[in-house]
Amino acid sequence: MPEPSESPTSRQVVTPTRVVAGLCLIAPFVAMLWVSSYARIEPMLIGIPFFYWYQMLWVLISTVLTMTAYKLVQREQRARKGGAAK
């Protein structure tokens, strides 16, 4: 079976933009898996122990980081295709 010919634009390339996007996606996992950094009660925020509000804060941070990674990759793909409009 013949191999499909690959054009230079169809290959996946590691670029600084993709590295930043990857770091944005990995950061929440690292923060949540490093339990000893937030396994405590103090400081409390409006009566909520640190353990809980820290995790809830990461829900919001994760949303922003995921959106940032998506926009970075989307902008890079648009630039690769010749800067097509939105």
Side-chain angles (χ1 to χ4, degrees):
M1 197 162 156
E3 294 284 325
S5 62
E6 288 190 31
S7 66
T9 58
S10 69
R11 289 187 12 215
Q12 295 295 325
V13 178
V14 177
T15 62
T17 303
R18 289 184 186 214
V19 170
V20 170
L23 291 174
C24 286
L25 295 174
I26 290 174
F29 289 105
V30 172
M32 291 293 94
L33 290 175
W34 187 20
V35 179
S36 64
S37 71
Y38 63 92
R40 57 182 185 257
I41 295 173
E42 297 292 330
M44 294 181 94
L45 180 68
I46 58 171
I48 301 170
F50 181 75
F51 181 79
Y52 295 112
W53 68 258
Y54 178 82
Q55 291 179 61
M56 288 290 97
L57 180 64
W58 269 101
V59 170
L60 299 174
I61 293 170
S62 297
T63 302
V64 171
L65 290 174
T66 302
M67 182 182 65
T68 302
Y70 174 75
K71 291 295 185 182
L72 285 170
V73 171
Q74 187 181 40
R75 185 174 62 180
E76 180 184 346
Q77 286 177 346
R78 231 183 291 132
R80 269 191 170 192
K81 291 182 181 178
K86 219 177 189 185

